[in-house]
Amino acid sequence: MILVVDMNWKRDSLAAAEFVAPIVTAVEPHERCEVKHFSDLQPAHLNDYSKIILSGTALKDHATLQQPQRFEWIKTCSQPVLGICAGMQTLSLVYGAQLSLCLQVGMIEIITLAPTPLFEGIFHAYALHNFSVEPADNFEVLAQSTKCIQAIKHKQKDLYGVLFHPEVRNQNILERFVKL
Amino acid sequence: MKLGVLFSGGKDSTLALHMAAEKEEVACLITLLSKNPESYMFHTPNINVTSLQAEALGLPLVSKFTEGKKEEELADLENAIKEAKQKFKLDGIVTGAVESVYQASRVQRICNRLDLWSFNPLWKHDQKALLDTLVAKGFRVIISGIFAYPLDKTWLGKQIDTQLIARLVELQRQYGISPSGEGGEIETTVLDAPMFKKRLEILQSDTSAKGNSGVYIIKEARLVPK
C-alpha cells in the first residue's frame, strides 16, 4: 500500500482534486493507495505503507514550507519517499536545505545529470513552482532544467524529490517509483 | 476563500463551478466573449448565453469582449480577472481545464502575476468519468459544436446522456477522439445544472454545418421554472 500525503493547506481542499487525485490515478493501476492529509499523519502508522509520496500544491500554497518540523519523521522512516514539487521543497527543508527563487509554469525540458531508476536522458515535464532548492550536503542532484535543480536524491536513503509534476505528463516516473 | 470562475457556459467550466462551490465561496463568473471562432483559449459557440446562465445561477457575471488573437486575448483575460478581483475581492480563480497545459499554464501565470490562487478541479480527471458525473448529477448539456471526423450535423443539439456517452467512447476507440472534447472535437452548452435556480429553454436555434465541422447556435432562449 502506497501512502499519498495531501500537502495542500487544509484537509479536503479544492486543490486536492488537482494535486492529489491525479497521483492516485497514476499509481493505483500498480499498487493500492491511501490518501492522508499531512496534518493527520501519525508517524507510528507509517510502517503500514510500502512507499510514501508527498503531493504538490497550488502555487500560492506555502503551508508545509512554513512548518517543515511536521515532517521530521522523514529522517527516521525506512520506506522510499518521493516528494513532488512542494513535497520536494519540504523534504529538502527537513534536511536543512535552502529554497531558491525559480518560477517555472508549463512544459519544460528536464536534463538528467546522474543515473537513477526513475528516469533517464532529456525529457519534457509539466512545471508549476516558485522555488527550487539548494540541496543539503547529503543530497545529490539528479536532474536540472535550464533555470534550476529539478530532481534530487538522498545519498544513502531512497528519498527522492522532483520539482516537476510527473502525474501530469510523466506518469511512468510514478510507476517506476512504485516498482523500486 | 472568495473565488471567480472562468465561465464559458460549457460542461467543464460549469462542473468546475459546482466543485468549487462545494468547498469555497464562488463570488462571480468571468467570461471572455471572443470574436474569433477559432480562439486558442475560449469556448465560443453560444458564449452569449452565459448572461442567462449567470442569471439562472444567481451569480454576477464579469464579461469582456476580446478579438481572440493568440496573445492579445490573454491580456484581455488578465484585465477581466483584474477587474473581477477588485470588484469582488477575489482570492482565487477556478478553471475547467482537464488536459490542456496550454490553457492551464497561461491562467496560472496570470494568477501568479495578480497574486491570486488558481484552481483546476477537473485537472487530469478521466474524461468518460466526467461525462458520467454530469449525467448522474442531473446536468442538462447539449452539443453545440462539432469539429472532428466522424462527427456530423446529426450530433448538434443532442443532449449528453448515457447512450450518447457510449457512442463518444466508441468513437474514441475507433478514431481516437477525446470523448469530452478535450482536443476541441466538441463544444457544449449547459441548459440546466444542480445550482441553476431556473433552467434555460431554447426558443429559437440555428444549425450550421459543413462536413465534420458545425455549430448549434441558440438565437433566443429564456429562463423557466424547474
Side-chain angles (χ1 to χ4, degrees):
Chain A
M1 175 86 81
I2 306 280
L3 172 64
V4 179
V5 181
D6 177 352
M7 301 287 275
N8 292 290
W9 83 103
K10 67 175 182 180
R11 192 183 295 113
D12 194 29
S13 72
L14 181 57
E18 180 175 352
F19 294 100
V20 180
I23 296 173
V24 173
T25 301
V27 169
E28 286 258 277
H30 312 289
E31 193 165 338
R32 286 185 59 209
C33 292
E34 188 170 5
V35 175
K36 282 189 184 292
H37 189 256
F38 74 86
S39 63
D40 294 327
L41 289 183
Q42 302 285 342
H45 296 158
L46 293 175
N47 288 332
D48 298 345
Y49 306 100
S50 60
K51 296 184 181 69
I52 299 168
I53 298 175
L54 311 176
S55 81
T57 67
L59 208 49
K60 265 179 71 70
D61 186 347
H62 301 149
T64 63
L65 307 185
Q66 291 161 348
Q67 42 190 329
Q69 69 280 5
R70 279 181 173 268
F71 297 85
E72 283 291 319
W73 53 265
I74 291 174
K75 287 181 174 172
T76 53
C77 84
S78 56
Q79 303 95 322
V81 176
L82 172 64
I84 297 172
C85 199
M88 165 170 153
Q89 294 160 354
T90 306
L91 167 67
S92 299
L93 290 175
V94 168
Y95 278 90
Q98 300 289 313
L99 300 183
S100 56
L101 284 174
C102 180
L103 173 64
Q104 290 184 294
V105 178
M107 298 302 291
I108 61 169
E109 188 175 83
I110 309 291
I111 302 156
T112 305
L113 300 177
T116 166
L118 298 187
F119 49 78
E120 63 275 316
I122 297 173
F123 58 97
H124 289 86
Y126 181 68
L128 181 65
H129 53 82
N130 269 319
F131 304 105
S132 183
V133 300
E134 299 297 334
D137 290 343
N138 43 4
F139 278 77
E140 64 173 326
V141 177
L142 297 180
Q144 66 180 23
S145 67
T146 54
K147 291 182 76 174
C148 54
I149 290 170
Q150 289 290 323
I152 56 172
K153 181 190 177 293
H154 191 282
K155 287 176 180 170
Q156 281 84 42
K157 299 175 168 186
D158 282 336
L159 304 178
Y160 294 87
V162 291
L163 199 56
F164 58 88
H165 288 260
E167 75 277 14
V168 177
R169 289 287 185 270
N170 310 88
Q171 292 92 341
N172 64 319
I173 291 175
L174 292 170
E175 180 183 346
R176 287 182 179 201
F177 175 72
V178 169
K179 292 178 177 175
L180 274 180
Chain B
M1 199 179 276
K2 293 182 79 170
L3 303 176
V5 177
L6 296 188
F7 186 68
S8 67
K11 60 181 173 50
D12 294 336
S13 61
T14 309
L15 183 56
L17 157 70
H18 281 68
M19 290 177 72
E22 287 176 7
K23 309 279 186 187
E24 305 289 344
E25 178 190 351
V26 175
C28 71
L29 307 174
I30 303 166
T31 295
L32 263 281
L33 304 166
S34 179
K35 295 176 182 173
N36 177 3
E38 294 175 353
S39 165
Y40 286 87
M41 284 291 289
F42 309 115
H43 165 119
T44 45
N46 298 318
I47 194 81
N48 293 317
V49 175
T50 51
S51 57
L52 263 186
Q53 293 167 316
E55 189 181 338
L57 285 158
L59 286 169
L61 175 69
V62 176
S63 65
K64 297 287 174 194
F65 278 100
T66 177
E67 294 293 329
K69 293 175 184 166
K70 192 169 181 180
E71 294 303 328
E72 286 174 26
E73 65 182 359
L74 292 170
D76 295 331
L77 175 64
E78 184 160 347
N79 287 331
I81 292 174
K82 192 184 292 181
E83 180 181 318
K85 179 190 175 185
Q86 289 167 352
K87 191 170 181 181
F88 296 99
K89 302 194 180 335
L90 299 181
D91 300 297
I93 294 298
V94 179
T95 88
V98 181
E99 280 285 346
S100 173
V101 165
Y102 179 90
Q103 289 182 337
S105 58
R106 277 153 182 77
V107 175
Q108 289 279 3
R109 289 191 196 110
I110 290 171
C111 288
N112 192 51
R113 282 196 291 274
L114 299 178
D115 193 27
L116 286 164
W117 291 69
S118 176
F119 295 106
N120 302 285
L122 310 185
W123 189 235
K124 299 298 297 175
H125 284 217
D126 178 79
Q127 296 182 35
K128 180 182 180 297
L130 289 178
L131 294 174
D132 289 338
T133 298
L134 292 169
V135 173
K137 288 182 178 287
F139 284 67
R140 190 158 170 254
V141 183
I142 59 167
I143 293 181
S144 51
I146 49 127
F147 306 98
Y149 181 84
L151 301 170
D152 61 24
K153 64 182 179 185
T154 62
W155 289 78
L156 290 168
K158 285 281 194 314
Q159 184 173 333
I160 293 180
D161 56 18
T162 51
Q163 289 171 325
L164 189 130
I165 293 171
R167 288 175 65 197
L168 286 168
V169 170
E170 178 60 20
L171 292 183
Q172 179 187 30
R173 194 186 63 77
Q174 285 187 33
Y175 301 100
I177 74 161
S178 152
S180 70
E182 266 302 296
E185 296 94 337
I186 60 170
E187 296 289 357
T188 59
T189 300
V190 176
L191 303 180
D192 194 10
M195 282 177 64
F196 279 35
K197 295 173 178 69
K198 293 181 177 178
R199 65 179 176 83
L200 271 70
E201 181 180 72
I202 299 169
L203 298 174
Q204 193 182 356
S205 63
D206 190 20
T207 298
S208 166
K210 188 176 180 184
N212 305 112
S213 180
V215 289
Y216 174 90
I217 298 294
I218 298 172
K219 299 180 80 171
E220 189 182 353
R222 66 177 178 180
L223 296 180
V224 295
K226 294 174 73 168

